[in-house]
Amino acid sequence: MILLVSLIPISFGILTYFFKKKTSLLVTISYILTFLFLTILQEGSFVVGNYSALKGIEFTFNFTIKFLLILFNLFSLITFFRIYKNYDHVFFSLWLLLTGSINGFFMSRDFFNIYVHLELASILTFLLLSYDKNEIRIWAALKYMMMSLVSLNFYLIGVGILYSNSGTLNLNYNLSNGINTFAFSFILTGLLTKGGLFFLSGWLPDAHTEAVKGTSPILSGIIVKLPLFIIYLLIPSLPNELRIFLYYFAVITAICSSLFTLLQNDIKKFMAYSTMTQMSYGLMIILINPPFFPYFIVYHMFTKGFLFMIAEDIYEKNGTKNLKELDGSQISLDTFFFAYFLADELRRIVPL
């Protein structure tokens, strides 16, 4: 039953590809069924094929996962209703596949299965980023894909070292027995590169800035936080020396990305660099107060996601993202107050 949370969007994504005239209906049904199962499923763990957790692939469904998935799917549904007239059935087939892979990612408790879902989400994001085949967007998507390839290879090297030591890919078992520091260094390097932190993630500004409408909110709202969620899962076994290093790294990257944020004239690039700053804050939260991190995910997903939606609407109306060129342009009063409220609320938790 747990697997249905991931299989329903993936299955309907395939159906959407073949029944293009029923795209909106199929996407809506997919979300309704996903919400239904998220509501009625009981908490617990499940191993595919009834193997032991050490040999099989374990999935976990608890209150935290339920909380994250309900709100992520709600955010994804809101984004869908904003753009359902903009794209064809192939786009939304990929959209549902991405939703299913993210659902599966949050429930996975096997190092390699986490990699599979993260890699699938990366490939689908790459395809969605440049869906209109614009040359600039294609190059931004390629940069994202190449950095993803490098970062996930580091992750896999670390996972291979773990497997050679413990004989299992089960995350909970490896945590309970302590993770090799050498393996940890490879895993963390990959995750920090993938997670949008300054110095390591040169892909993020261009990807966020050039993405087609509807993709930037998902990319900033959830995709960049997936690697940090893995660090959140690993934090109980993180050696103290690595915690100290990561804390100083987070502080330095937050300061540097904040400075770069202030230098931007492109409204979407401004928010992209601020996302890098907020990923550093997210890392600090994991190190200082891990139980608060799932709430950070949700809060940042809605606030920054909605801000990117507003930026997309402004660009669509005015034909420019340049803040200097937008000076003097008129926006509706409700849009202004909504943007001001979101930016103000975001500053209270994670200063821009």
Side-chain angles (χ1 to χ4, degrees):
M1 290 288 284
I2 291 176
L3 288 177
L4 288 174
V5 176
S6 179
L7 292 177
I8 286 173
I10 291 174
S11 300
F12 274 85
I14 296 171
L15 290 174
T16 300
Y17 181 82
F18 290 105
F19 299 98
K20 59 182 179 180
K21 294 183 178 180
K22 303 293 184 181
T23 295
S24 295
L25 177 63
L26 290 171
V27 174
T28 304
I29 292 174
S30 172
Y31 279 111
I32 291 172
L33 290 176
T34 301
F35 283 125
L36 176 64
F37 279 101
L38 285 171
T39 303
I40 65 175
L41 279 177
Q42 295 183 345
E43 296 180 14
S45 295
F46 167 75
V47 180
V48 179
N50 292 321
Y51 291 99
S52 69
L54 299 183
K55 295 182 179 179
I57 299 173
E58 183 179 3
F59 290 86
T60 294
F61 187 76
N62 53 34
F63 173 79
T64 299
I65 303 304
K66 184 176 184 177
F67 168 76
L68 287 172
L69 289 183
I70 287 177
L71 291 174
F72 159 65
N73 281 272
L74 175 61
F75 177 74
S76 179
L77 180 61
I78 293 171
T79 308
F80 164 73
F81 280 124
R82 283 188 72 251
I83 62 172
Y84 74 96
K85 293 181 179 179
N86 294 62
Y87 303 108
D88 59 13
H89 65 292
V90 178
F91 181 93
F92 291 112
S93 175
L94 298 172
W95 183 271
L96 286 178
L97 291 175
L98 177 62
T99 302
S101 66
I102 293 174
N103 289 349
F105 169 86
F106 279 115
M107 296 186 296
S108 297
R109 291 300 178 270
D110 175 276
F111 275 109
F112 190 76
N113 200 47
I114 287 173
Y115 160 79
V116 170
H117 285 290
L118 191 57
E119 178 74 350
L120 179 58
S122 299
I123 294 171
L124 293 167
T125 302
F126 164 75
L127 294 173
L128 293 173
L129 279 174
S130 56
Y131 190 75
D132 63 353
K133 299 179 178 63
N134 177 281
E135 184 178 348
I136 296 175
R137 293 192 178 107
I138 290 172
W139 280 110
L142 280 172
K143 185 188 293 186
Y144 166 74
M145 200 63 219
M146 292 302 296
M147 292 296 288
S148 292
L149 178 65
V150 172
S151 62
L152 290 176
N153 277 335
F154 273 102
Y155 173 86
L156 283 178
I157 291 171
V159 169
I161 296 170
L162 288 182
Y163 183 74
S164 67
N165 291 335
S166 66
T168 180
L169 294 170
N170 185 271
L171 186 144
N172 294 323
Y173 177 84
N174 278 287
L175 290 182
S176 63
N177 288 277
I179 294 182
N180 181 288
T181 304
F182 184 58
F184 238 140
S185 63
F186 279 100
I187 291 173
L188 287 174
T189 300
L191 295 178
L192 293 174
T193 304
K194 181 73 175 167
L197 277 84
F198 197 74
F199 296 132
L200 297 174
S201 299
W203 60 267
L204 189 147
D206 287 342
H208 281 63
T209 303
E210 303 300 339
V212 298
K213 183 178 180 180
T215 310
S216 291
I218 292 294
L219 185 58
S220 181
I222 194 68
I223 296 295
V224 295
K225 290 188 282 292
L226 298 183
L228 291 185
F229 184 77
I230 302 175
I231 298 176
Y232 161 75
L233 295 177
L234 300 179
I235 198 67
S237 291
L238 201 66
N240 191 53
E241 58 271 21
L242 272 179
R243 287 174 184 257
I244 295 172
F245 168 79
L246 286 177
Y247 181 78
Y248 284 111
F249 175 77
V251 170
I252 293 170
T253 54
I255 294 171
C256 292
S257 54
S258 295
L259 293 174
F260 270 75
T261 301
L262 298 174
L263 299 174
Q264 304 310 311
N265 289 321
D266 186 304
I267 186 172
K268 288 185 73 176
K269 189 162 285 189
F270 178 91
M271 287 192 285
Y273 275 102
S274 76
T275 294
M276 298 180 86
T277 304
Q278 290 143 18
M279 292 308 97
S280 296
Y281 290 132
L283 182 57
M284 291 183 204
I285 290 171
I286 293 172
L287 296 167
I288 298 171
N289 187 13
F292 186 68
F293 182 67
Y295 301 99
F296 168 81
I297 291 177
V298 171
Y299 191 89
H300 185 266
M301 175 171 62
F302 281 97
T303 51
K304 184 50 76 66
F306 286 154
L307 281 170
F308 264 107
M309 291 179 191
I310 292 171
E312 289 176 339
D313 290 341
I314 291 173
Y315 173 61
E316 195 171 50
K317 179 181 179 181
N318 296 280
T320 181
K321 297 175 288 183
N322 189 291
L323 290 168
K324 292 181 178 179
E325 294 176 5
L326 288 168
D327 186 23
S329 299
Q330 291 185 344
I331 62 172
S332 62
L333 196 60
D334 56 339
T335 299
F336 171 78
F337 280 115
F338 188 41
Y340 180 84
F341 170 78
L342 289 172
D344 183 62
E345 286 298 303
L346 196 59
R347 276 197 302 274
R348 295 179 188 180
I349 301 294
V350 280
L352 290 171

